[in-house]
């Protein structure tokens, strides 16, 4: 069973494995723990910008690029130079994922209604755009759009503040994960902000299945590892 863990939580790897094995009542040797973020490099190398079509692998021709997988809770960064993952800029950030949109929505609903909602309900509202309470439905889609645009503005500032020097020598910034889906959705509105950092065509986004790049990477890497045993 292949599972992943963010680079931001690498110090919790042993506890994570212990928890998973105890919850599933399976021996720890049954699990292969791989790093989130960097595992998506295997998918990028094999499929390029479209995991549905291996003939598109050459779509990513960058000699050197900074990559990021934006998940729900974390954002994991790594650099690839001459098709090899470099230790430079390999870093995970906890609470830097899309969950920030949900947290900010919780605050907004509290201010609007005086009511508290939990994180799971907030995530549902982010997905549907509708807040329901006691038979009433309120459209929060515009608020969610605003919060998402604010999230990406801060996210690109995070990149600039932590990886600005690396970007100077990179050919592209590749973003995958669930965050890439939303980034692509709002790209027209975000383009002016992005171009304060670099031209928008410096940014590479998957054509499809962006949220599965880590998972596909796990499968590719696990198959290679197991074939050598």
């Amino acid at each position: 069973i292949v599972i992943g863990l963010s680079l931001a939580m690498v110090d919790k790897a042993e506890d994570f494995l212990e928890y998973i094995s105890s919850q599933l009542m399976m021996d720890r040797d049954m699990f292969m723990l791989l790093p989130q973020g960097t595992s998506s490099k295997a998918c990028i190398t094999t499929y390029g910008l479209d995991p549905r079509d291996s003939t598109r692998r050459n779509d990513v021709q960058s000699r050197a690029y900074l990559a990021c997988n934006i998940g729900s809770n974390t954002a994991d960064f790594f650099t690839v130079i001459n098709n090899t993952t470099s230790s430079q800029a390999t870093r995970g950030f906890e609470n830097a994922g899309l969950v920030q949109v949900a947290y900010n929505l919780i605050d907004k609903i509290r201010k609007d209604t005086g009511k508290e909602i939990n994180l799971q309900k907030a995530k549902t509202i982010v997905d549907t755009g509708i807040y329901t309470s006691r038979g009433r439905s309120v459209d929060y889609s515009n608020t969610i759009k605003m919060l998402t645009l604010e999230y990406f503005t801060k996210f690109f500032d995070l990149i600039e503040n932590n990886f600005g020097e690396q970007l100077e020598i990179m050919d592209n910034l590749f973003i995958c994960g669930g965050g890439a889906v939303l980034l692509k959705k709002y790209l027209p509105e975000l383009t002016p902000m992005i171009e304060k950092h670099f031209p928008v065509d410096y940014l590479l986004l998957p054509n499809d299945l962006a949220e599965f790049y880590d998972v596909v990477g796990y499968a590719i890497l696990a198959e290679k590892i197991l074939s050598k045993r």
Side-chain angles (χ1 to χ4, degrees), residues 17-71:
L17 280 171
E18 186 65 34
Y19 174 79
I20 290 292
S21 61
S22 63
Q23 289 296 306
L24 297 180
M25 294 182 289
M26 300 175 68
D27 190 87
R28 281 180 47 160
D29 292 340
M30 290 293 296
F31 297 94
M32 182 184 297
L33 182 60
L34 295 174
Q36 288 181 15
T38 53
S39 293
S40 61
K41 188 262 181 185
C43 183
I44 297 169
T45 300
T46 304
Y47 294 105
L49 297 180
D50 194 343
R52 294 186 187 275
D53 185 1
S54 62
T55 64
R56 301 293 300 275
R57 65 169 63 92
N58 292 325
D59 285 352
V60 181
Q61 297 182 356
S62 304
R63 179 194 62 82
Y65 60 90
L66 174 69
C68 177
N69 189 301
I70 307 175

Side-chain angles (χ1 to χ4, degrees), residues 7 11 21 24 33 39 41 43 55 81 88 120 130 150 159-161 198 202 217 224:
L7 299 169
D11 59 326
S21 61
L24 297 180
L33 182 60
S39 293
K41 188 262 181 185
C43 183
T55 64
I81 299 175
Q88 291 183 334
Q120 189 56 50
I130 303 297
E150 288 177 355
I159 295 175
E160 191 69 59
N161 293 335
F198 40 71
Y202 181 84
K224 289 182 178 179

Side-chain angles (χ1 to χ4, degrees), residues 108-120:
K108 184 69 169 71
I109 290 176
R110 182 191 302 117
K111 292 176 183 177
D112 289 349
T113 68
K115 294 182 179 180
E116 294 285 344
I117 61 171
N118 60 32
L119 182 58
Q120 189 56 50

Side-chain angles (χ1 to χ4, degrees), residues 35-159:
Q36 288 181 15
T38 53
S39 293
S40 61
K41 188 262 181 185
C43 183
I44 297 169
T45 300
T46 304
Y47 294 105
L49 297 180
D50 194 343
R52 294 186 187 275
D53 185 1
S54 62
T55 64
R56 301 293 300 275
R57 65 169 63 92
N58 292 325
D59 285 352
V60 181
Q61 297 182 356
S62 304
R63 179 194 62 82
Y65 60 90
L66 174 69
C68 177
N69 189 301
I70 307 175
S72 175
N73 184 43
T74 61
D76 294 288
F77 291 83
F78 61 98
T79 54
V80 176
I81 299 175
N82 293 326
N83 203 35
T84 300
T85 304
S86 170
S87 60
Q88 291 183 334
T90 300
R91 185 177 175 188
F93 293 83
E94 194 169 1
N95 293 319
L98 295 173
V99 71
Q100 286 301 316
V101 177
Y103 283 138
N104 290 333
L105 180 62
I106 290 173
D107 291 339
K108 184 69 169 71
I109 290 176
R110 182 191 302 117
K111 292 176 183 177
D112 289 349
T113 68
K115 294 182 179 180
E116 294 285 344
I117 61 171
N118 60 32
L119 182 58
Q120 189 56 50
K121 183 166 184 175
K123 288 181 178 179
T124 300
I125 299 169
V126 169
D127 289 338
T128 65
I130 303 297
Y131 167 60
T132 58
S133 176
R134 301 187 181 187
R136 295 189 180 92
S137 296
V138 181
D139 186 350
Y140 264 81
S141 56
N142 287 334
T143 297
I144 292 165
K145 178 179 179 179
M146 177 193 69
L147 294 175
T148 303
L149 297 180
E150 288 177 355
Y151 162 79
F152 279 114
T153 299
K154 293 178 180 178
F155 181 78
F156 277 90
D157 285 342
L158 180 148
I159 295 175

